[in-house]
Amino acid sequence: MKIDIHAHILPRDWPDLTERYGYEGFIRLEHHCPGCARMMLGDKCFRVVDENLWNPDVRIEECDRSGVDVQVLSTVPVMFSYWAKPDDTHDLCKLLNDHLAEVVQKYPRRFVALGTLPMQAPELAVIELERCIAQLGFAGVEIGTHINGRNLDDPEFYPVWEAAEQHGAAVFVHPWDMMGMKDLPNYWLPWLVSMPAETSRAICSLMMGGVIERFPGVRFAFAHGGGSFPATLGRINRGFTMRPDLCQTHTETEPRELFKRIYIDSLVHDPLILRFMVETFGSERIALGTDYPFPLGELVAGELIESINEFSPATKERLLSGTALEWLGKSRESFETPSSRAHSDALHAAHVTP
Amino acid sequence: MKIDIHAHILPRDWPDLTERYGYEGFIRLEHHCPGCARMMLGDKCFRVVDENLWNPDVRIEECDRSGVDVQVLSTVPVMFSYWAKPDDTHDLCKLLNDHLAEVVQKYPRRFVALGTLPMQAPELAVIELERCIAQLGFAGVEIGTHINGRNLDDPEFYPVWEAAEQHGAAVFVHPWDMMGMKDLPNYWLPWLVSMPAETSRAICSLMMGGVIERFPGVRFAFAHGGGSFPATLGRINRGFTMRPDLCQTHTETEPRELFKRIYIDSLVHDPLILRFMVETFGSERIALGTDYPFPLGELVAGELIESINEFSPATKERLLSGTALEWLGKSRESFETPSSRAHSDALHAAHVTP
């Protein structure tokens, strides 16, 4: 069984947000040819996307081809819109989450949803989180690595973690609005250099700020293999122990310990690094993630995990679905899998055959 | 033999730079008690340092204790002062480099020097680089991961690379002025999160900007195990191949290939990551570096390398000194080593014993 915890989706259409809210800065999709569209910010196209981004049927076909049983759907981080007026972001979140709910309702055994929240207004974020989980049946939420420059250890966000804990919501943390962007105009460096740093920033803030320990019931997972965090953990832990005056202001528990309480996805594009991650942190903390349908993702879901001969079948299964199920708080039985399909076919055959 | 390519030094005293240049922003040392000092920026102490930072005799004693035969000395990156007026930085560089020259002159078989340059004015940087190598006998220079926001692939810096190539200067690239600093006020995160990203930024810029190929004679080495670059190379290479429109504007050679042309130090504080680095890039590219005498460094030089049982004696020797010699362009014989000392003692004994 394969569950992909890192897959993005957008509606095919949404209202003109500049018209709706009265100011610029929002993303729109421009459908310029059949099956493809431009993601536009103002007059600037910043990404060309295909139908698999918005069409769940195309998506299911592609999942079938690469053997993905379940995709955990979240919005594209450029839609977070934390910079906008809180009520407008809240309204946009509702639009996006309602669309997510529709898709999951149509294919409840193939998709799981993570909602998006107006994090810049924690009190509204709590309201939308509760709606996502209690009313729409989502497994959790996706948030950014910081909220308009405020790090995730800011006590302003405690109510959100409290609500996540109370509702059993999984929290997927994804980089956005990357540090240093203005000085990295070339070579896609905000994606290649700053995104991994953003994720490390979020993990370090949650750990050293004491959030992981204060809210032990929140199941945090981090995109792109935890960014640069796992491979620089030696340095981070060293800093933590050598400068307690700077690093241990909120907790004395070392990052090397706290890593056992968070999850990361497997999207590292490097068998040796994935092996290192499994060796260091255990397959228990790592779940398949592909960044579907974007080009920095893993095009054949699970290919990297399956390619590593040193991994036992049990390790591979844990990486491909076991960790995801635990993180989502779901049972294997809640999804349609090849084996459950075979099982129900067999039952059906038993009933119709005399 | 152990050569530490990453060791910082300052003079014990230098002129009041604010008085000398007429404006604020420069670092000064405030010797507030015997054997220790405060590094001050204006009225703010941002680091307390010990005598081993400025006293070469104390340094030699500590090197002897941890078995370091040679330290490659460079200034502390806060001294780069690229933000200042070019002539003033040039003047400061001359002060610092003259001090470095004195130290190396006193202990020519224990220390090698890397000069500092007024990189914000490449024409002055070239003049000082030439002075460092041709007149002062330095092995190379130390520079920052960017120059006031300009990345190292900027053609403005070509003359510096040209001069480095011509003079056979090694170039040590060290993070400074870290991305995202203003949004990372807590937990030492600019050091723990942004510094590794800075180094990746420098490596990616030099690779994708075509500098590594345009100046094949420049021997670049990068601090802190190359920062986040080695462990995110999978992602970086993936981006490079998937978005040629963004990443291949200056070269089609993949980062995974170009890695074989650069050097990194061993300062990662994690045996599994160092093993990964040796496995992926080869011990040929990695040289012992400790960040002496700072607390984020390796306090017992070479301890990590020596602790890894999977490394053969030849691999360990390469990591501890072989790579450094190649990077510096020096022969083993140019330094006083325990074995050369034993050899000369034996020769001496042979001559005096009848």
Side-chain angles (χ1 to χ4, degrees), chain B residues 157-193:
Chain B
F157 303 123
Y158 286 0
V160 182
W161 314 141
E162 214 166 83
E165 201 164 42
Q166 192 188 327
H167 290 272
V171 179
F172 186 57
V173 183
H174 195 294
W176 79 295
D177 184 27
M178 288 75 86
M179 60 175 83
M181 271 193 86
K182 76 168 176 41
D183 287 332
L184 301 171
N186 297 322
Y187 320 129
W188 216 10
L189 293 190
W191 273 255
L192 305 183
V193 170

Short mmCIF file of all heavy atoms in Angstrom, two decimals, chain B residues 157-193:
data_model
loop_
_atom_site.label_atom_id
_atom_site.label_comp_id
_atom_site.label_asym_id
_atom_site.label_seq_id
_atom_site.Cartn_x
_atom_site.Cartn_y
_atom_site.Cartn_z
N PHE B 157 33.08 39.64 -10.16
CA PHE B 157 34.13 38.96 -9.38
C PHE B 157 35.09 38.16 -10.26
O PHE B 157 36.04 37.59 -9.75
CB PHE B 157 33.50 38.06 -8.32
CG PHE B 157 32.58 38.78 -7.38
CD1 PHE B 157 31.26 38.39 -7.22
CD2 PHE B 157 33.04 39.89 -6.68
CE1 PHE B 157 30.40 39.09 -6.38
CE2 PHE B 157 32.19 40.60 -5.83
CZ PHE B 157 30.87 40.20 -5.68
N TYR B 158 34.82 38.09 -11.56
CA TYR B 158 35.70 37.32 -12.43
C TYR B 158 37.18 37.71 -12.26
O TYR B 158 38.05 36.83 -12.22
CB TYR B 158 35.29 37.47 -13.90
CG TYR B 158 34.04 36.72 -14.32
CD1 TYR B 158 33.31 35.94 -13.43
CD2 TYR B 158 33.58 36.79 -15.65
CE1 TYR B 158 32.16 35.26 -13.83
CE2 TYR B 158 32.44 36.10 -16.06
CZ TYR B 158 31.73 35.34 -15.15
OH TYR B 158 30.61 34.68 -15.57
N PRO B 159 37.48 39.02 -12.17
CA PRO B 159 38.91 39.37 -12.01
C PRO B 159 39.54 38.75 -10.76
O PRO B 159 40.73 38.41 -10.77
CB PRO B 159 38.88 40.90 -11.90
CG PRO B 159 37.61 41.31 -12.58
CD PRO B 159 36.63 40.22 -12.32
N VAL B 160 38.74 38.59 -9.72
CA VAL B 160 39.29 37.98 -8.50
C VAL B 160 39.60 36.51 -8.74
O VAL B 160 40.67 36.01 -8.36
CB VAL B 160 38.31 38.13 -7.31
CG1 VAL B 160 38.91 37.53 -6.04
CG2 VAL B 160 37.95 39.59 -7.08
N TRP B 161 38.68 35.81 -9.43
CA TRP B 161 38.93 34.38 -9.72
C TRP B 161 40.13 34.23 -10.66
O TRP B 161 40.92 33.30 -10.52
CB TRP B 161 37.70 33.70 -10.32
CG TRP B 161 36.38 33.98 -9.64
CD1 TRP B 161 35.18 34.18 -10.26
CD2 TRP B 161 36.12 34.07 -8.23
NE1 TRP B 161 34.19 34.40 -9.32
CE2 TRP B 161 34.75 34.35 -8.08
CE3 TRP B 161 36.91 33.97 -7.08
CZ2 TRP B 161 34.14 34.52 -6.83
CZ3 TRP B 161 36.32 34.14 -5.83
CH2 TRP B 161 34.95 34.40 -5.72
N GLU B 162 40.20 35.17 -11.59
CA GLU B 162 41.32 35.16 -12.54
C GLU B 162 42.65 35.30 -11.80
O GLU B 162 43.60 34.56 -12.06
CB GLU B 162 41.14 36.34 -13.48
CG GLU B 162 41.61 36.12 -14.90
CD GLU B 162 41.06 37.25 -15.77
OE1 GLU B 162 41.68 38.33 -15.81
OE2 GLU B 162 39.99 37.03 -16.38
N ALA B 163 42.67 36.22 -10.85
CA ALA B 163 43.90 36.42 -10.07
C ALA B 163 44.20 35.21 -9.20
O ALA B 163 45.36 34.80 -9.05
CB ALA B 163 43.77 37.68 -9.21
N ALA B 164 43.15 34.63 -8.62
CA ALA B 164 43.35 33.44 -7.76
C ALA B 164 43.93 32.30 -8.59
O ALA B 164 44.83 31.58 -8.15
CB ALA B 164 42.02 33.02 -7.13
N GLU B 165 43.41 32.17 -9.80
CA GLU B 165 43.87 31.11 -10.70
C GLU B 165 45.35 31.34 -11.05
O GLU B 165 46.18 30.45 -10.97
CB GLU B 165 43.02 31.15 -11.97
CG GLU B 165 43.03 29.87 -12.76
CD GLU B 165 41.89 29.85 -13.77
OE1 GLU B 165 41.63 30.89 -14.42
OE2 GLU B 165 41.24 28.79 -13.91
N GLN B 166 45.63 32.59 -11.40
CA GLN B 166 46.97 32.94 -11.85
C GLN B 166 48.00 32.74 -10.74
O GLN B 166 49.12 32.29 -10.98
CB GLN B 166 46.92 34.41 -12.29
CG GLN B 166 48.12 34.89 -13.04
CD GLN B 166 48.02 36.41 -13.23
OE1 GLN B 166 46.92 36.97 -13.37
NE2 GLN B 166 49.17 37.07 -13.22
N HIS B 167 47.58 33.06 -9.50
CA HIS B 167 48.53 32.97 -8.39
C HIS B 167 48.44 31.65 -7.63
O HIS B 167 49.10 31.46 -6.62
CB HIS B 167 48.31 34.14 -7.42
CG HIS B 167 48.73 35.46 -7.98
ND1 HIS B 167 50.02 35.93 -7.87
CD2 HIS B 167 48.05 36.38 -8.71
CE1 HIS B 167 50.10 37.10 -8.49
NE2 HIS B 167 48.92 37.41 -9.00
N GLY B 168 47.56 30.77 -8.10
CA GLY B 168 47.43 29.48 -7.42
C GLY B 168 46.89 29.61 -6.00
O GLY B 168 47.23 28.81 -5.12
N ALA B 169 46.03 30.60 -5.80
CA ALA B 169 45.49 30.83 -4.45
C ALA B 169 44.32 29.90 -4.16
O ALA B 169 43.38 29.81 -4.95
CB ALA B 169 45.04 32.28 -4.32
N ALA B 170 44.35 29.25 -3.02
CA ALA B 170 43.18 28.52 -2.52
C ALA B 170 42.15 29.53 -2.04
O ALA B 170 42.51 30.59 -1.52
CB ALA B 170 43.59 27.60 -1.38
N VAL B 171 40.86 29.22 -2.24
CA VAL B 171 39.80 30.15 -1.82
C VAL B 171 38.88 29.45 -0.83
O VAL B 171 38.20 28.48 -1.20
CB VAL B 171 39.00 30.68 -3.03
CG1 VAL B 171 37.89 31.62 -2.56
CG2 VAL B 171 39.91 31.38 -4.02
N PHE B 172 38.87 29.92 0.39
CA PHE B 172 38.02 29.34 1.44
C PHE B 172 36.77 30.21 1.56
O PHE B 172 36.88 31.42 1.80
CB PHE B 172 38.80 29.31 2.76
CG PHE B 172 38.08 28.62 3.89
CD1 PHE B 172 37.66 27.30 3.75
CD2 PHE B 172 37.86 29.26 5.10
CE1 PHE B 172 37.02 26.63 4.79
CE2 PHE B 172 37.21 28.60 6.14
CZ PHE B 172 36.80 27.29 5.99
N VAL B 173 35.60 29.60 1.38
CA VAL B 173 34.34 30.36 1.41
C VAL B 173 33.63 30.08 2.74
O VAL B 173 33.36 28.92 3.07
CB VAL B 173 33.45 29.98 0.22
CG1 VAL B 173 32.18 30.83 0.22
CG2 VAL B 173 34.21 30.13 -1.09
N HIS B 174 33.36 31.15 3.46
CA HIS B 174 32.79 31.01 4.81
C HIS B 174 31.51 31.84 4.92
O HIS B 174 31.48 32.99 4.49
CB HIS B 174 33.82 31.52 5.84
CG HIS B 174 33.51 31.12 7.24
ND1 HIS B 174 32.41 31.58 7.93
CD2 HIS B 174 34.16 30.29 8.10
CE1 HIS B 174 32.40 31.05 9.15
NE2 HIS B 174 33.45 30.26 9.28
N PRO B 175 30.44 31.29 5.52
CA PRO B 175 29.21 32.09 5.66
C PRO B 175 29.41 33.32 6.55
O PRO B 175 30.20 33.30 7.49
CB PRO B 175 28.23 31.11 6.31
CG PRO B 175 29.05 30.00 6.89
CD PRO B 175 30.30 29.94 6.06
N TRP B 176 28.69 34.37 6.19
CA TRP B 176 28.62 35.59 7.00
C TRP B 176 27.30 36.26 6.63
O TRP B 176 26.62 35.81 5.70
CB TRP B 176 29.81 36.51 6.67
CG TRP B 176 29.61 37.29 5.40
CD1 TRP B 176 29.51 36.74 4.14
CD2 TRP B 176 29.41 38.69 5.25
NE1 TRP B 176 29.30 37.72 3.23
CE2 TRP B 176 29.23 38.93 3.87
CE3 TRP B 176 29.40 39.77 6.13
CZ2 TRP B 176 29.01 40.22 3.36
CZ3 TRP B 176 29.17 41.04 5.62
CH2 TRP B 176 28.98 41.26 4.26
N ASP B 177 26.91 37.29 7.33
CA ASP B 177 25.72 38.10 7.01
C ASP B 177 24.58 37.20 6.51
O ASP B 177 24.17 37.28 5.35
CB ASP B 177 26.08 39.15 5.95
CG ASP B 177 24.92 40.08 5.65
OD1 ASP B 177 24.07 40.29 6.53
OD2 ASP B 177 24.86 40.59 4.51
N MET B 178 24.07 36.38 7.42
CA MET B 178 23.24 35.26 7.02
C MET B 178 21.83 35.65 6.59
O MET B 178 21.20 36.52 7.18
CB MET B 178 23.16 34.26 8.18
CG MET B 178 24.45 33.50 8.40
SD MET B 178 25.75 34.50 9.19
CE MET B 178 25.34 34.26 10.91
N MET B 179 21.33 34.96 5.57
CA MET B 179 19.97 35.21 5.09
C MET B 179 18.95 35.00 6.21
O MET B 179 19.10 34.10 7.03
CB MET B 179 19.65 34.31 3.89
CG MET B 179 19.71 32.83 4.14
SD MET B 179 19.15 31.86 2.68
CE MET B 179 20.62 31.82 1.69
N GLY B 180 17.94 35.84 6.21
CA GLY B 180 16.85 35.68 7.18
C GLY B 180 17.17 36.12 8.60
O GLY B 180 16.33 35.96 9.49
N MET B 181 18.35 36.69 8.82
CA MET B 181 18.77 37.01 10.20
C MET B 181 17.73 37.78 11.00
O MET B 181 17.47 37.48 12.16
CB MET B 181 20.09 37.78 10.21
CG MET B 181 21.28 36.87 10.24
SD MET B 181 22.82 37.73 10.61
CE MET B 181 22.82 37.74 12.41
N LYS B 182 17.12 38.79 10.36
CA LYS B 182 16.23 39.66 11.14
C LYS B 182 14.97 38.90 11.63
O LYS B 182 14.34 39.29 12.61
CB LYS B 182 15.87 40.92 10.35
CG LYS B 182 14.85 40.73 9.26
CD LYS B 182 14.33 42.06 8.73
CE LYS B 182 13.37 41.84 7.55
NZ LYS B 182 12.42 40.72 7.65
N ASP B 183 14.62 37.82 10.92
CA ASP B 183 13.46 37.05 11.34
C ASP B 183 13.83 35.86 12.22
O ASP B 183 12.98 35.02 12.52
CB ASP B 183 12.69 36.53 10.11
CG ASP B 183 11.95 37.65 9.40
OD1 ASP B 183 11.57 38.63 10.09
OD2 ASP B 183 11.76 37.56 8.18
N LEU B 184 15.11 35.78 12.59
CA LEU B 184 15.56 34.64 13.41
C LEU B 184 16.25 35.14 14.68
O LEU B 184 17.44 34.92 14.88
CB LEU B 184 16.51 33.75 12.59
CG LEU B 184 15.95 33.16 11.30
CD1 LEU B 184 17.04 32.51 10.48
CD2 LEU B 184 14.85 32.14 11.60
N PRO B 185 15.48 35.83 15.53
CA PRO B 185 16.13 36.45 16.69
C PRO B 185 16.51 35.45 17.78
O PRO B 185 17.33 35.76 18.63
CB PRO B 185 15.06 37.43 17.20
CG PRO B 185 13.76 36.81 16.78
CD PRO B 185 14.04 36.12 15.48
N ASN B 186 15.94 34.26 17.74
CA ASN B 186 16.13 33.34 18.88
C ASN B 186 16.94 32.11 18.51
O ASN B 186 17.09 31.76 17.33
CB ASN B 186 14.77 32.89 19.41
CG ASN B 186 13.97 34.06 19.95
OD1 ASN B 186 14.54 34.96 20.57
ND2 ASN B 186 12.68 34.07 19.68
N TYR B 187 17.44 31.46 19.58
CA TYR B 187 18.01 30.10 19.48
C TYR B 187 19.21 30.02 18.55
O TYR B 187 19.49 28.94 18.01
CB TYR B 187 16.95 29.07 19.05
CG TYR B 187 15.59 29.26 19.67
CD1 TYR B 187 14.44 29.31 18.87
CD2 TYR B 187 15.44 29.42 21.05
CE1 TYR B 187 13.19 29.50 19.43
CE2 TYR B 187 14.18 29.62 21.61
CZ TYR B 187 13.07 29.66 20.79
OH TYR B 187 11.84 29.87 21.34
N TRP B 188 19.90 31.12 18.33
CA TRP B 188 21.13 31.08 17.53
C TRP B 188 20.85 30.58 16.09
O TRP B 188 21.73 30.06 15.41
CB TRP B 188 22.17 30.14 18.19
CG TRP B 188 23.59 30.58 18.08
CD1 TRP B 188 24.07 31.77 17.64
CD2 TRP B 188 24.76 29.81 18.42
NE1 TRP B 188 25.45 31.79 17.69
CE2 TRP B 188 25.89 30.58 18.17
CE3 TRP B 188 24.94 28.51 18.92
CZ2 TRP B 188 27.19 30.13 18.41
CZ3 TRP B 188 26.23 28.06 19.15
CH2 TRP B 188 27.35 28.87 18.90
N LEU B 189 19.61 30.76 15.64
CA LEU B 189 19.23 30.16 14.35
C LEU B 189 20.00 30.70 13.15
O LEU B 189 20.21 29.96 12.18
CB LEU B 189 17.71 30.27 14.13
CG LEU B 189 16.85 29.44 15.09
CD1 LEU B 189 15.40 29.42 14.61
CD2 LEU B 189 17.36 28.01 15.25
N PRO B 190 20.45 31.98 13.14
CA PRO B 190 21.28 32.37 11.99
C PRO B 190 22.52 31.48 11.85
O PRO B 190 22.97 31.21 10.74
CB PRO B 190 21.65 33.82 12.30
CG PRO B 190 20.51 34.31 13.16
CD PRO B 190 20.15 33.12 14.02
N TRP B 191 23.05 31.02 12.97
CA TRP B 191 24.23 30.15 12.92
C TRP B 191 23.85 28.70 12.58
O TRP B 191 24.56 28.02 11.87
CB TRP B 191 24.99 30.20 14.26
CG TRP B 191 25.97 31.33 14.30
CD1 TRP B 191 27.33 31.22 14.19
CD2 TRP B 191 25.71 32.74 14.40
NE1 TRP B 191 27.91 32.47 14.22
CE2 TRP B 191 26.95 33.41 14.35
CE3 TRP B 191 24.56 33.50 14.53
CZ2 TRP B 191 27.05 34.80 14.42
CZ3 TRP B 191 24.66 34.88 14.60
CH2 TRP B 191 25.89 35.51 14.55
N LEU B 192 22.69 28.27 13.12
CA LEU B 192 22.33 26.85 13.01
C LEU B 192 21.54 26.54 11.74
O LEU B 192 21.61 25.44 11.21
CB LEU B 192 21.55 26.42 14.25
CG LEU B 192 22.28 26.69 15.59
CD1 LEU B 192 21.46 26.18 16.76
CD2 LEU B 192 23.68 26.08 15.59
N VAL B 193 20.78 27.52 11.26
CA VAL B 193 19.92 27.29 10.09
C VAL B 193 20.43 28.05 8.86
O VAL B 193 20.55 27.48 7.77
CB VAL B 193 18.46 27.69 10.40
CG1 VAL B 193 17.61 27.68 9.14
CG2 VAL B 193 17.86 26.76 11.46
#
